[in-house]
Amino acid sequence: MKEIVVASGKGGVGKTTVAASLAVFFAKNGVKVFTADADVDAPDLLLALGGGKKLFSMEIKASRKAEVDEDKCMGCGKCIEVCPFGAVIGPNDGKATVVSLMCEGCGVCKLVCPVGAIEVREAPTGTLGVEETKYGFGCATGKLRLGEHNSGHLVASVRNISRRKAQDAGSEVIIVDAAPGIGCPVIASITGADYVIAVTEPTPAAKRNLERLSKIIKHFGVPAGVVINMSGYSKDFEIALKDWVVRELGFQLLGEIPVDYEVVKALVQMKPIIEFNPDAKASKALIEIAERVRGEIL
Amino acid sequence: MKNLRKKIVSTPIVAVTGGKGGTGKSTVAVNLAAGLSAEDLKVMLVDTDVDGPSCATLLGVQLEGGEEVRTFVPDIEASKCVGCRRCIEVCPEHALIGLQEKIPKLYEELCSGCKACQMVCEYEAIKDGWKKIGTIYSSVVDEVKLVVGELRPTEPRSPVMARATVMKAIEELKGDGYDVAIFDTAPGVHNAVAQPLWVADLALAVTEPTPLGTHDLKLILDLARELGLPVEVILNKADVPGGLKDELLNTCHERGIKLTAEIPLDEELLRSYIAGEPLVKKAPNSPAGKALMSLVSTIRDRLKGGEI
């Protein structure tokens, strides 16, 4: 079973659009597919796939949060000094208060408290679930609590459950829709995967962030290909970008998707573009990309 | 939460955020900064999207030099370590591992820099060591002071780097007579976004009229509410063909959130984005340029009236 991760340094370049179309293309062309939404901060893959039927969901408690016992706290302020995350503050009444949203649960406040007023307790990180899409394949999803830190842990849980369920279903491939950026959730998505599809757009800002993403991909030694989305506005820049991807990054160019407002209409209808309008320019490009991915990775 | 957030610097801070990626956060941030600066306000623009900072690119500047941001990692002195394992047991990230009576081994990428190991070591065997987690660049572009935080690729702790960037900006804001600071945030609603929102006075949530834009906007509105932070919406790509503008306006209406600006689709905006020149300078009379100029005036008036 192969795991293909759809990632991007910059947000909003079309990860979810590519992941949804790729999964549906596979499903309709005899490839047994499973999906995972590893953007646990803002999970959108099921929205792009028209929703799902919930098979199960559970709460994940992998976080820890400090709590101050106000009766014991004598307001010495030592915890405020040592908190590396700025999460312990001293409000007006002289007692320490933990801003739960900022707390990573490291517990150094508890270590320095001379009167034992601080306890660190297990706290919810988010939810984990599996849903069945209308295309017959499953989708593992996670939802991180607002403002929470522990995204890498939740992403690992999403990947674990997707592997188990995909194995049970006899799937050949898992498509993982990753978070934007290069931080913890992205590293947790890419580590140990078989292939990364890096989606970008032909703008200097997206190029710069693709370069940053490429450093992570290379660090973890995962083969990768690039999809240039929303192309067609700046030909010179696009030619230079394609050349740079192949020569400088050493990644395979999987294809280009032209700017096409049918993609927006498809999003609004909550259907993958290749399903909404298979004749659209963007669909044709996506189908070519999906065929290339199938041919070369599966 | 509201009464927990305290103003730590007198300069008004406007955070530009939005939930979904690629909705135009950085575009709004750089245009607001350039526009307010042209109105003779002293402006600082801070890019706290440490995973993928774009403000410098959008302003057409190369970042040079920069100041390393380092966090603590344990440096274990072999001669003093007795192998008691207290540090291994206390490490909340399981970054220290070791066998009985052996010197613990550090997995640096897991270390959060909390110093719990150092605090519990009775033998003073743990000295301060450092790892580089990123770089903070400072620059001045057309009188706008630009501060950019950049996470070192392969370092996972975006929230720590975002916090370092926020703290650095606040330090520079103190006593330097700035009229306003604009903080551009990362996409999402995770902790690296919460860090700049925690110190802000107003959040502008930039979104687009699609189900994904609406879905992620609700998340950021929830986060702002949790933080007790006033938030307003900027609708970008407002007239995108097939878009869901009405649904988005309904969401704002239901939640009593003000729609502060609507920016139409405009090829000039894309050109300015690629050229690295803010639209309010390059083409202020284009459709999107006018919308951004009007946003600049609105924010300027409110700053002058002491409303932010």
Side-chain angles (χ1 to χ4, degrees):
Chain A
M1 192 168 61
K2 302 272 186 179
E3 255 181 301
I4 300 175
V5 182
V6 185
S8 76
K10 187 180 173 309
V13 295
K15 281 180 301 301
T16 304
T17 293
V18 170
S21 279
L22 203 58
V24 168
F25 174 84
F26 283 167
K28 299 219 155 180
N29 286 276
V31 178
K32 282 197 170 173
V33 63
F34 200 87
T35 53
D37 193 342
D39 186 359
V40 296
D41 194 41
D44 288 340
L45 183 59
L46 273 168
L47 279 181
L49 288 165
K53 195 175 77 191
K54 196 175 278 180
L55 298 180
F56 90 94
S57 94
M58 64 184 286
E59 199 178 33
I60 298 285
K61 275 192 159 184
S63 300
R64 288 151 37 103
K65 300 284 176 192
E67 281 171 33
V68 180
D69 182 340
E70 286 200 10
D71 294 337
K72 289 187 188 166
C73 175
M74 49 177 206
C76 70
K78 282 190 177 134
C79 51
I80 299 172
E81 267 168 50
V82 297
C83 176
F85 308 105
V88 193
I89 56 173
N92 303 326
D93 63 1
K95 309 274 184 185
T97 300
V98 177
V99 181
S100 163
L101 204 80
M102 298 291 185
C103 176
E104 273 218 15
C106 70
V108 291
C109 48
K110 180 183 170 170
L111 290 174
V112 298
C113 179
V115 293
I118 301 181
E119 274 307 321
V120 181
R121 295 200 172 85
E122 216 177 44
T125 310
T127 53
L128 177 67
V130 175
E131 303 203 11
E132 190 179 287
T133 66
K134 61 175 81 157
Y135 304 95
F137 55 80
C139 181
T141 65
K143 178 70 195 86
L144 192 71
R145 275 170 64 95
L146 284 175
E148 188 56 51
H149 292 259
N150 241 323
S151 56
H153 188 284
L154 193 54
V155 168
S157 304
V158 169
R159 280 184 73 194
N160 283 339
I161 199 151
S162 71
R163 281 190 200 133
R164 272 214 306 276
K165 295 288 169 191
Q167 220 136 32
D168 291 350
S171 307
E172 297 158 66
V173 59
I174 303 173
I175 309 279
V176 181
D177 188 14
I182 60 167
C184 189
V186 180
I187 290 173
S189 299
I190 288 175
T191 327
D194 295 287
Y195 195 82
V196 176
I197 298 176
V199 185
T200 190
E201 63 180 26
T203 64
K207 181 189 172 200
R208 184 171 160 77
N209 290 323
L210 172 62
E211 186 178 11
R212 287 164 63 69
L213 177 69
S214 74
K215 289 183 182 163
I216 311 272
I217 296 172
K218 287 176 184 169
H219 180 80
F220 291 101
V222 185
V226 172
V227 169
I228 300 174
N229 191 16
M230 297 180 266
S231 74
Y233 270 114
S234 45
K235 279 293 170 207
D236 291 347
F237 190 85
E238 284 157 26
I239 291 164
L241 177 65
K242 283 188 266 186
D243 188 58
W244 175 81
V245 164
V246 177
R247 278 171 199 266
E248 300 286 324
L249 298 187
F251 290 163
Q252 186 182 14
L253 195 65
L254 291 168
E256 271 177 274
I257 306 167
V259 172
D260 186 348
Y261 290 121
E262 287 295 296
V263 174
V264 181
K265 290 182 196 159
L267 277 176
V268 169
Q269 297 299 320
M270 304 214 305
K271 282 182 180 169
I273 176 77
I274 64 161
E275 186 71 10
F276 174 72
N277 180 357
D279 296 323
K281 286 183 291 179
S283 295
K284 288 181 176 160
L286 271 162
I287 289 167
E288 263 183 50
I289 290 165
E291 275 168 351
R292 189 161 296 143
V293 171
R294 179 173 60 173
E296 298 194 14
I297 298 139
L298 300 184
Chain B
M1 197 73 91
K2 191 164 193 164
N3 43 16
L4 289 181
R5 287 197 325 117
K6 261 194 221 155
K7 212 151 167 49
I8 44 179
V9 60
S10 59
T11 317
I13 298 175
V14 178
V16 184
T17 189
K20 191 178 169 329
T23 55
K25 287 179 292 299
S26 302
T27 298
V28 168
V30 297
N31 277 288
L32 201 50
L36 290 171
S37 177
E39 301 263 356
D40 285 334
L41 294 181
K42 191 171 177 190
V43 181
M44 180 188 283
L45 173 62
V46 186
D47 198 337
T48 69
D49 180 1
V50 299
D51 276 30
S54 298
C55 287
T57 314
L58 267 54
L59 289 168
V61 286
Q62 290 278 347
L63 296 171
E64 277 158 19
E67 193 182 303
E68 266 189 16
V69 176
R70 302 185 308 170
T71 55
F72 166 89
V73 289
D75 179 3
I76 302 173
E77 244 180 288
S79 60
K80 288 188 183 169
C81 176
V82 299
C84 72
R85 300 175 60 81
R86 285 278 286 136
C87 56
I88 295 171
E89 284 153 18
V90 78
C91 178
E93 301 294 324
H94 310 292
L96 285 166
I97 60 155
L99 300 169
Q100 210 72 41
E101 290 170 29
K102 287 267 169 64
I103 294 159
K105 180 172 161 43
L106 172 70
Y107 283 88
E108 201 179 272
E109 64 278 15
L110 296 178
C111 176
S112 76
C114 75
K115 296 191 180 181
C117 51
Q118 193 178 51
M119 287 175 195
V120 298
C121 181
E122 288 166 23
Y123 305 93
E124 293 181 356
I126 299 184
K127 291 185 300 181
D128 285 0
W130 303 101
K131 72 165 168 177
K132 182 186 168 189
I133 63 160
T135 309
I136 296 177
Y137 299 92
S138 295
S139 181
V140 178
V141 193
D142 290 341
E143 293 174 49
V144 173
K145 167 87 178 187
L146 176 66
V147 176
V148 177
E150 217 178 70
L151 185 73
R152 182 175 61 81
T154 72
E155 166 57 44
R157 292 189 184 272
S158 318
V160 178
M161 188 59 210
R163 177 173 155 78
T165 309
V166 166
M167 296 322 279
K168 169 81 181 168
I170 283 176
E171 191 187 302
E172 293 210 12
L173 283 173
K174 280 181 181 162
D176 226 2
Y178 284 95
D179 295 306
V180 63
I182 313 285
F183 282 22
D184 188 17
T185 82
V189 286
H190 48 86
N191 195 262
V193 178
Q195 292 290 346
L197 296 188
W198 179 253
V199 300
D201 300 293
L202 170 68
L204 298 174
V206 185
T207 191
E208 59 184 37
T210 64
L212 277 57
T214 308
H215 174 257
D216 296 356
L217 175 69
K218 285 178 185 163
L219 297 176
I220 200 85
L221 295 181
D222 287 345
L223 179 62
R225 188 172 49 196
E226 190 128 324
L227 292 169
L229 172 65
V231 59
E232 295 168 13
V233 169
I234 294 179
L235 181 56
N236 193 14
K237 311 175 202 175
D239 53 347
V240 65
L244 272 185
K245 187 172 152 184
D246 289 346
E247 190 181 316
L248 209 121
L249 295 180
N250 268 341
T251 300
C252 294
H253 183 73
E254 276 165 20
R255 295 191 176 216
I257 305 278
K258 187 168 155 190
L259 182 73
T260 304
E262 270 187 52
I263 305 167
L265 271 186
D266 182 350
E267 268 192 46
E268 283 298 328
L269 186 56
L270 192 71
R271 281 193 203 110
S272 90
Y273 191 92
I274 291 172
E277 194 184 346
L279 191 65
V280 292
K281 288 189 156 175
K282 192 168 186 286
N285 290 316
S286 69
K290 281 183 185 158
L292 285 163
M293 289 296 280
S294 150
L295 173 67
V296 168
S297 310
T298 305
I299 298 294
R300 177 207 57 203
D301 291 348
R302 287 164 65 185
L303 283 168
K304 292 203 164 156
E307 292 164 44
I308 299 174

